[in-house]
Amino acid sequence: MKPNEDSPADDETTTRVRLPETVKVDKTVNLPGIGFCVTPDENPSTILLGMSDFAIHRLDFDAEKPESRPISEARHQSYVTGIVRSGKTAVSGGYDGALIWWNLETGEIIRQVDAAHAKWIRMLALSPDGTRVASVADDMRTKLWDIESGQLIADWGDYQLKTPHGYPSMLYAVAFSPDGHWLATGDKTGQVLVRDPADGTVAARLETPVMYTWDPKARNHSIGGIRSLAFSADAKTLAIGGMGKVGNIDHLEGVSRIEIFEWESQSKLHEIEDPKYKGLVEALRFGPGDQWLVAAGGDHGGFVSVYNLADGKLAAQEKVGNHVHDFTLAPDGESLITVGHHQAVSVLL
Amino acid sequence: MNSDTPIADDISPPRPAAASGSAPTSPRPTVRPIGFSRRGFLTASAAGVTASLAADMSAIQGLRGEAIASELKRQDKRVILLWLAGGASQFETWDPKPGTKTGGPFRAIPTNVAGIHISELLPELAQRMQHTAIIRSLNTKIADHGTAAELMECGRRNDPGIRYPDIGAVVARELGRLESKVPDYVSLYTSTEGRRKGTSGFLGARYSPMFLSDSMTPANILRPDSISATEHQDRAALRDALAKRFTAESHHLAVDSHQSAYQRVQGLMASADLFDVEREPESMRARYGPTQFGEQCLIARRLVEAGVPFVKVARAWWDSHGQNFETHQELCADLDHCMSALLDDLDERGLLENTLVITLGEFGRTPGINASLGRDHFASAWSCSLSGMGIRGGVAYGKTDEEGHKVVEGEANAGDLFATILEALGIDHEHEYMLGARPIPLSDFGSKPIREVLA
């Protein structure tokens, strides 16, 4: 088991710039529900998960019999869809619109903001210095919170509440750049905003309309949207994940889709579609040195794919259990842990 | 017996007076209500009494005045079926199970009726529960789209050799007015997935729906500019005269059918404006919202207001095998807002007491949540709603178990629901058509209306 860490670095580790040639499932652990989000704990082999049983779980992959258990009797009132960790504090967000601050040593709630958002929280992102957490929700607002005090620092509402076809829109994805200077958000209709979190100034607007998946004729609805975002280490490149054109919108059978931009110039570098492993790209991470990109998601089944950023070509790929909702990449780029439908899987690259 | 064969005397379109009582030239199946002739009723009650009245007067001579009054009142009754094509989830609509393994992420919210909670995805309808009865205990067993849709539309499965009419055709047959200038049964279904045209079954083409599939406005129903209104009327008169002469000598179903079709077309041409939402004030259009479903609900209101007895608005596509929760966030918002606007609008116009609004699909969705965050087909324990006319509002009938796997109280099948709908409209669900020598009750044999939801 390789160490995991994609939250603020606790120490410097050797990074793997080399392009992975394989994706190999190492260990699969059954979960007592659906894992929607994951962040590494202080112990390198341990993860914290947001689950469908409304609880925060902890799972140690190096345990003799790895088992996912709630860290506390206390829970959200709905699915937990976002979690970040800063030191010994975790912050979680859920479909109940609440943010909860957790003491990871005791499992006690430090703070709870019940109406952090008026609708369902979709994702959280931690600033690289570990002092801020950004939240996005279906009230179409992006909020910035102070980790230490819980104070609301900023509240931006510049997305449309409704889609162009008159239906409720959704704000699915948020990501900080590794230098902390930029915050990207993406919605159901394929609109991406990159802003300066210091003052909220929007520096760029990108569009990925294919990811909207609106079907006006056969089914008269959509199930797509931007589901994942990731900045490169130099903060110049932004990867956007979702699903491409879908024929049967009853199922997640559209091709998985990634668009990669040099965001300041709004130049699209790569447009990647994978007809082999279909469904949503739920999470993205750049590998060390910005030479490659890892994507994970799926339809019923899950996948992990590695793309060479030099040419946008697939470098390695593997089916990984059930649909993957999130993963955490070890800072050395040697391994990752996925969470998804009733499974957590450690994967070697 | 070929059930597609057009039907006979009692439910055929009115024949010209000269032809009334003429024997058909060849034997044909007879679909005849047991008891009195309803055609006689309807014809007699028409505001403009026509020549056909005399021919049918004998049929109503023996009836009491109260019965006639009742029959007259029946003519004001209407139905709007909001067909949730593909199968909406009971968990995300009428029967939420928050906090359970199967309940999904959404909460239950209280309604304006104490003790009744529905999904948080229906906040506007939650404030209008006084109009609505929820049935949470449907066990209809069939979970494939085609057969299940047929079951829920017709209240029973087709028997070999018999094609049953769907609820729209039955209501058109029972509540339609022969002299009406508007269609009896309009079905709007503009999405392509799961599209079904509806069937009048053994009732014949007279009660088939006017089916709008490509747009919300009937195609080609306006008089061409190249024909003047006078020319148009003259052509119709000539056609009538020729048809009457022909049928006086030799009555024939084909002529009846042609004549009926022309009469209906004339009616449809006169009702073209009903499909034009531009004729509504902007404020009213805004109230229903900009979505296609909203506009179709507004058209439905315009149609029932003009006297159309049955309007089906199909809203696709709820078949959420993948991303059930995203699908329901989108589609429930549409249903919640548009149906609420419809109920309010009908209520304010005094139409709700005479209009039954139904939400129904072919089945519900599984308690289990699959790996695509979807729910699959499930017909063992699901829900529908009935609002307005004949319904005891503020009722949640039936019960499923804690995780929604099975019905534990008040189990009802498709026939029971069909019977309930008919009884809400004041139509005896045990009333029988005669298909040849075979009596066919309006609702399936053994079905029972759910009295607890009836006013």
Side-chain angles (χ1 to χ4, degrees):
Chain A
M1 182 74 225
K2 301 290 182 182
N4 275 289
E5 194 57 71
D6 62 359
S7 68
D10 289 341
D11 56 7
E12 293 296 323
T13 56
T14 306
T15 58
R16 174 178 183 160
V17 176
R18 182 180 61 82
L19 184 67
E21 295 176 349
T22 59
V23 172
K24 185 180 177 186
V25 172
D26 178 37
K27 187 184 292 184
T28 298
V29 176
N30 290 329
L31 300 175
I34 306 165
F36 288 106
C37 51
V38 61
T39 193
D41 201 355
E42 284 190 305
N43 179 336
S45 65
T46 304
I47 56 171
L48 298 166
L49 310 83
M51 294 282 293
S52 61
D53 64 0
F54 308 175
I56 307 300
H57 284 232
R58 181 180 274 120
L59 169 62
D60 181 1
F61 264 83
D62 280 351
E64 187 176 345
K65 290 183 178 178
E67 187 177 2
S68 178
R69 291 180 178 169
I71 65 168
S72 168
E73 291 291 314
R75 297 178 183 218
H76 278 268
Q77 297 298 307
S78 187
Y79 288 179
V80 183
T81 45
I83 186 165
V84 296
R85 179 185 66 83
S86 180
K88 300 184 187 310
T89 299
V91 182
S92 61
Y95 267 36
D96 55 3
L99 288 175
I100 299 179
W101 276 250
W102 303 88
N103 180 329
L104 290 173
E105 291 185 315
T106 64
E108 292 175 337
I109 291 178
I110 301 167
R111 180 183 304 107
Q112 181 161 341
V113 181
D114 282 331
H117 284 272
K119 282 194 168 184
W120 307 285
I121 293 173
R122 296 294 191 159
M123 193 181 285
L124 303 181
L126 185 70
S127 65
D129 64 5
T131 63
R132 303 280 189 268
V133 58
S135 58
V136 289
D138 287 353
D139 57 6
M140 304 308 286
R141 306 198 76 84
T142 305
K143 297 188 178 184
L144 198 61
W145 309 80
D146 184 81
I147 285 275
E148 183 65 28
S149 67
Q151 184 182 356
L152 177 64
I153 298 167
D155 179 0
W156 301 295
D158 33 21
Y159 279 94
Q160 296 293 318
L161 289 169
K162 295 283 181 74
T163 68
H165 299 91
Y167 298 99
S169 192
M170 297 154 191
L171 190 51
Y172 284 118
V174 60
F176 272 102
S177 63
D179 61 10
H181 293 325
W182 306 108
L183 184 70
T185 49
D187 78 350
K188 177 172 183 165
T189 66
Q191 307 292 315
V192 174
L193 298 181
V194 181
R195 75 173 78 243
D196 180 347
D199 60 10
T201 306
V202 174
R205 294 174 187 269
L206 307 172
E207 294 190 357
T208 61
V210 175
M211 294 186 189
Y212 178 24
T213 73
W214 170 253
D215 170 2
K217 186 172 177 61
R219 295 162 178 89
N220 201 19
H221 81 92
S222 61
I223 58 172
I226 292 171
R227 302 300 184 100
S228 49
L229 293 162
F231 282 95
S232 58
D234 65 7
K236 291 181 179 177
T237 306
L238 180 65
I240 304 166
M243 186 167 65
K245 184 175 169 51
V246 54
N248 183 355
I249 212 164
D250 314 344
H251 302 265
L252 290 173
E253 68 170 31
V255 293
S256 58
R257 183 179 175 90
I258 301 166
E259 297 185 26
I260 302 174
F261 288 84
E262 197 293 304
W263 64 266
E264 279 187 294
S265 64
Q266 302 188 30
S267 305
K268 191 182 291 184
L269 304 176
H270 301 295
E271 195 172 279
I272 301 167
E273 289 200 331
D274 182 358
K276 183 178 179 184
Y277 289 110
K278 294 186 176 181
L280 295 162
V281 174
E282 298 272 23
L284 290 163
R285 303 282 187 277
F286 279 80
D290 288 347
Q291 302 299 303
W292 44 275
L293 178 75
V294 192
D299 47 14
H300 256 47
F303 65 78
V304 171
S305 302
V306 179
Y307 295 96
N308 184 344
L309 288 169
D311 57 11
K313 302 289 187 188
L314 182 68
Q317 187 175 50
E318 188 57 75
K319 176 176 174 13
V320 178
N322 296 330
H323 184 110
V324 174
H325 286 284
D326 197 6
F327 71 90
T328 175
L329 178 67
D332 64 3
E334 297 282 344
S335 66
L336 57 87
I337 295 176
T338 69
V339 296
H341 193 77
H342 292 268
Q343 287 180 339
V345 182
S346 68
V347 175
L348 303 178
L349 300 178
Chain B
M1 176 182 291
N2 178 1
S3 63
D4 288 333
T5 306
I7 42 78
D9 297 350
D10 289 73
I11 57 174
S12 294
R15 293 194 299 272
S20 292
S22 300
T25 53
S26 59
R28 53 204 164 105
T30 301
V31 182
R32 187 191 310 277
I34 289 176
F36 57 82
S37 161
R38 198 175 165 278
R39 181 164 66 96
F41 251 157
L42 296 174
T43 308
S45 63
V49 179
T50 64
S52 59
L53 173 64
D56 288 323
M57 279 300 288
S58 59
I60 60 171
Q61 291 299 325
L63 296 168
R64 294 178 303 164
E66 294 87 343
I68 295 174
S70 172
E71 189 62 25
L72 286 168
K73 190 175 179 182
R74 176 183 289 190
Q75 293 176 19
D76 291 330
K77 298 172 182 176
R78 296 127 185 159
V79 177
I80 297 174
L81 169 60
L82 304 179
W83 180 255
L84 310 183
S89 167
Q90 65 280 8
F91 294 95
E92 278 70 48
T93 52
W94 305 116
D95 193 12
K97 305 284 186 186
T100 67
K101 196 168 76 174
T102 59
F106 303 120
R107 289 175 287 197
I109 55 172
T111 67
N112 63 339
V113 174
I116 298 180
H117 290 67
I118 62 176
S119 169
E120 67 173 315
L121 299 181
L122 302 176
E124 293 186 54
L125 286 171
Q127 296 306 311
R128 291 159 178 81
M129 199 50 60
Q130 76 276 12
H131 298 305
T132 298
I134 301 167
I135 298 172
R136 288 174 167 158
S137 49
L138 291 173
N139 180 3
T140 53
K141 301 185 187 327
I142 298 171
D144 73 85
H145 287 295
T147 314
E150 174 190 300
L151 173 69
M152 299 314 299
E153 288 167 350
C154 299
R156 61 189 129 195
R157 295 189 66 177
N158 283 326
D159 291 333
I162 299 179
R163 286 190 64 213
Y164 291 106
D166 66 23
I167 184 67
V170 171
V171 170
R173 162 76 179 87
E174 295 299 314
L175 300 184
R177 286 187 282 186
L178 293 184
E179 82 289 2
S180 176
K181 296 294 185 189
V182 296
D184 291 329
Y185 177 6
V186 176
S187 177
L188 295 126
Y189 199 152
T190 47
S191 298
T192 56
E193 186 66 39
R195 182 184 286 172
R196 294 170 58 83
K197 291 185 176 179
T199 176
S200 55
F202 61 70
L203 291 180
R206 168 67 181 82
Y207 298 104
S208 291
M210 176 184 181
F211 187 62
L212 282 74
S213 58
D214 295 326
S215 76
M216 289 186 282
T217 307
N220 303 319
I221 65 168
L222 297 178
R223 176 173 50 79
D225 292 338
S226 58
I227 301 174
S228 70
T230 304
E231 286 173 327
H232 186 63
Q233 289 172 355
D234 288 348
R235 289 181 184 197
L238 176 60
R239 192 166 46 242
D240 283 348
L242 292 173
K244 284 176 182 173
R245 186 195 301 173
F246 186 82
T247 53
E249 295 168 0
S250 176
H251 181 69
H252 198 278
L253 279 175
V255 178
D256 277 355
S257 178
H258 273 89
Q259 189 70 353
S260 171
Y262 277 116
Q263 288 170 349
R264 293 191 72 199
V265 167
Q266 287 173 326
L268 297 181
M269 291 174 72
S271 59
D273 287 352
L274 295 175
F275 296 90
D276 184 3
V277 292
E278 299 282 345
R279 292 181 177 271
E280 289 288 331
E282 184 60 38
S283 58
M284 182 56 71
R285 295 175 62 191
R287 191 170 175 183
Y288 279 83
T291 66
Q292 183 186 73
F293 185 56
E295 292 197 339
Q296 290 175 332
C297 285
L298 179 52
I299 289 171
R301 191 271 288 158
R302 289 174 61 80
L303 290 171
V304 298
E305 189 174 40
V308 177
F310 193 95
V311 183
K312 175 181 177 180
V313 179
R315 203 305 179 205
W317 179 238
W318 296 75
D319 194 23
S320 51
H321 295 286
Q323 300 285 287
N324 174 75
F325 308 115
E326 309 306 304
T327 296
H328 281 76
Q329 281 182 79
E330 190 172 80
L331 300 190
C332 283
D334 209 17
L335 173 66
D336 185 48
H337 180 74
C338 300
M339 183 173 164
S340 296
L342 177 65
L343 292 177
D344 290 352
D345 193 10
L346 290 170
D347 196 24
E348 290 164 14
R349 290 166 190 269
L351 291 168
L352 189 56
E353 63 185 56
N354 290 327
T355 305
L356 175 62
V357 179
I358 306 166
T359 68
L360 184 65
E362 57 262 52
F363 39 60
R365 314 292 318 174
T366 50
I369 297 162
N370 67 34
S372 296
L373 286 185
R375 296 190 191 269
D376 301 310
H377 303 174
F378 188 63
S380 302
W382 60 290
S383 307
C384 69
S385 76
L386 305 171
S387 307
M389 185 192 171
I391 295 302
R392 195 171 145 215
V395 169
Y397 174 81
K399 191 175 177 182
T400 52
D401 65 13
E402 188 179 355
E403 294 186 347
H405 291 285
K406 62 183 179 181
V407 174
V408 295
E409 194 174 299
E411 182 168 305
N413 61 30
D416 298 330
L417 178 62
F418 211 87
T420 306
I421 291 168
L422 293 174
E423 290 294 319
L425 296 168
I427 300 169
D428 179 3
H429 76 283
E430 293 181 317
H431 186 77
E432 291 177 331
Y433 298 130
M434 291 300 294
L435 187 59
R438 179 174 177 173
I440 308 286
L442 267 62
S443 67
D444 201 7
F445 292 99
S447 60
K448 294 178 181 174
I450 303 169
R451 298 286 175 197
E452 289 86 344
V453 304
L454 295 172

